[in-house]
Amino acid sequence: MILGVERLQRSGKIKPPTEKGILFWSAIYIPIVVAMAASQNVLAAIKGGPVGIVAGLLAVLCAFALVPVISRFTGSDPKPEDED
Amino acid sequence: MTEYLDAVAQVLTKYSLVTGFAVIGSIVWASYYVSDKLTRGWLHGSSIAILIGLTLACIGGLTTGGSKGISDVSVLAGIGVMGSSMLRDFAIVGTAFGVRMEAFRKTGLSGIVSLLVGVFVSFTVGALVAYAFGYRDAVSITTIGGGAATFLVGPVTGSSLGASSEVIALSVTAGLTKSILVMSTTPFVPST
C-alpha cells in the first residue's frame, strides 16, 4: 500500500483534497488512541500489578543496550529509536 | 438549575459521538499545549494525552464500577465509540497511507535494522515479563508483548485476539512507559 501511494504521488494522481483527507485520518489517529485508552479497564490493570511498567522499562533498557551494537554493526550514524 | 443541567446532559448524551470528539479533542489540544509550553517538546503531546486518557479511564472505573473506563459515564459514552476498533483500524490504515518512502530511505541501514531489532527485542522482553508475572495464556502474553513494542500494537493485537480489557490496558501502559522513557532519555544514551 505504501509503495502504491508512492507511485500514485509520483504520477500526480493524488489531488490536494485527497491528500488532505489522508492527512486528516493520519492525524485523528492520536485522538482515537486516546479515546481507546480512556475506555479500557484501567482499574483492573492497576490491580493487576506493575506488569505494564516493568515490561515497558525492560524493553527500553534492552533497546538502549543495543544502540551501540547496531551503530557499530551497520557502520553509520545512529538514529534515536522511535517507532511510535 | 438542575433542569438546565439535565437538558444539557440530554443533548450531550444524544450526540454522544460529537461529545466524545469534543472532549478528546480538548484533551489532545491541552496536552500538546502543555507539551510545548511546559516541557518544551521534551515529552510528546501524544504521550501526555494518553496518560490523561488512562487517568480518565481510572476515574470512570472508580465512579461507575464498570469495566469500560470513562465511557461507562453515560454522557461520555461516545468516547467508547470513538475508541472502537473500527475507527481505530481505519485511522491506522490512514496513517500507513501517510508514510513516505523517503523517510525510510533517509534513516538508512541503521534505521531499518534498529526498527526491526527494536520491535523484536521489545516484544520478546514484554512477553517474558508477562510470563514472569503469571500470565500463561498465549493471548495475554502476545498482547503485552505487542504493547511493549508500541502502545498502539498492544491494543490492536489484543482486540483482534480477544484479550481482556485489563490486559489491553496493561499493554498500553507498557508501550506508554516505553515511549515516555525513550523520549525523555534518548539524548543521554551513548551511541558507541
Side-chain angles (χ1 to χ4, degrees):
Chain A
M1 193 174 70
I2 295 171
L3 290 172
V5 173
E6 176 97 340
R7 187 167 296 167
L8 284 174
Q9 265 173 342
R10 286 259 168 82
S11 54
K13 290 243 169 64
I14 296 185
K15 299 278 184 292
T18 315
E19 186 98 325
K20 277 185 195 157
I22 294 169
L23 281 179
F24 170 76
W25 282 105
S26 308
I28 203 78
Y29 117 92
I30 299 274
I32 286 179
V33 172
V34 174
M36 188 199 66
S39 41
Q40 298 299 329
N41 197 353
V42 175
L43 211 57
I46 291 173
K47 280 180 193 142
V51 185
I53 289 169
V54 172
L57 197 72
L58 285 180
V60 174
L61 290 179
C62 290
F64 279 167
L66 283 170
V67 170
V69 180
I70 291 170
S71 57
R72 205 173 310 152
F73 174 66
T74 57
S76 55
D77 281 339
K79 293 285 292 182
E81 288 177 55
D82 189 15
E83 297 113 45
D84 297 325
Chain B
M1 188 62 192
T2 44
E3 283 163 38
Y4 182 70
L5 282 177
D6 280 348
V8 172
Q10 245 172 28
V11 175
L12 290 181
T13 312
K14 191 176 171 196
Y15 298 100
S16 61
L17 186 57
V18 181
T19 313
F21 265 94
V23 171
I24 296 294
S26 316
I27 291 173
V28 173
W29 176 80
S31 305
Y32 276 78
Y33 185 83
V34 167
S35 161
D36 189 39
K37 299 287 168 196
L38 294 184
T39 73
R40 297 212 191 108
W42 184 65
L43 205 58
H44 198 263
S46 59
S47 284
I48 300 177
I50 290 168
L51 215 53
I52 297 176
L54 288 172
T55 315
L56 278 181
C58 199
I59 296 169
L62 279 176
T63 49
T64 63
S67 61
K68 289 201 227 71
I70 198 71
S71 56
D72 277 330
V73 180
S74 60
V75 177
L76 297 170
I79 291 177
V81 181
M82 194 182 162
S84 67
S85 56
M86 178 180 66
L87 275 177
R88 191 196 56 216
D89 294 346
F90 184 37
I92 293 168
V93 175
T95 317
F97 262 117
V99 173
R100 297 284 168 270
M101 282 311 281
E102 289 103 80
F104 265 122
R105 288 192 198 107
K106 255 185 236 159
T107 57
L109 185 60
S110 64
I112 293 165
V113 171
S114 53
L115 179 66
L116 293 178
V117 173
V119 170
F120 181 75
V121 168
S122 307
F123 180 84
T124 312
V125 171
L128 287 176
V129 171
Y131 189 84
F133 274 86
Y135 289 90
R136 287 293 183 274
D137 58 313
V139 170
S140 301
I141 292 176
T142 313
T143 306
I144 295 174
T150 296
F151 61 75
L152 192 66
V153 176
V156 174
T157 318
S159 53
S160 56
L161 292 178
S164 69
S165 183
E166 171 206 336
V167 169
I168 291 176
L170 278 177
S171 74
V172 174
T173 321
L176 193 64
T177 311
K178 189 185 164 197
S179 307
I180 292 175
L181 278 174
V182 167
M183 278 182 281
S184 48
T185 56
T186 296
F188 311 111
V189 175
S191 62
T192 46

